[in-house]
Amino acid sequence: HAWSHSFADRKKKKRVNRRLWQIKISAASKENGISYSKLINLLKKNNIDLDRKVLSQIASEEPEVFKKIINSL
């Protein structure tokens, strides 16, 4: 019984973290004048392989680097 809950909660934790990363990226991208969906689309089109976890860390800890990433697109 406890194992099934722990399995489900590990899956839930991944969903919650991904949402948190999306919110952080969205807030930082809107400060720089671009929406989250357009940013992710431009990153994919330009073959920039930064996952959401790394992008959210850059956005929160290094806002100038995040701005340079957006300006390079």
Side-chain angles (χ1 to χ4, degrees):
H1 179 57
W3 288 342
S4 61
H5 286 292
S6 64
F7 177 79
D9 286 340
R10 282 194 301 272
K11 298 293 182 182
K12 188 187 291 184
K13 180 176 148 185
K14 290 173 180 65
R15 286 194 304 265
V16 168
N17 283 336
R18 184 176 171 100
R19 274 195 206 140
L20 180 62
W21 300 331
Q22 289 173 342
I23 291 168
K24 286 182 179 180
I25 296 167
S26 178
S29 63
K30 285 178 184 172
E31 286 179 4
N32 291 298
I34 189 171
S35 70
Y36 171 82
S37 60
K38 289 181 182 175
L39 173 66
I40 297 298
N41 187 27
L42 286 172
L43 288 171
K44 287 183 182 179
K45 282 184 180 178
N46 291 319
N47 293 325
I48 299 174
D49 292 329
L50 291 173
D51 62 359
R52 286 166 178 81
K53 180 180 179 181
V54 173
L55 269 176
S56 70
Q57 288 175 342
I58 292 171
S60 62
E61 297 171 9
E62 303 287 338
E64 292 300 319
V65 175
F66 188 76
K67 190 172 188 175
K68 287 180 183 178
I69 291 171
I70 290 177
N71 290 336
S72 71
L73 298 175

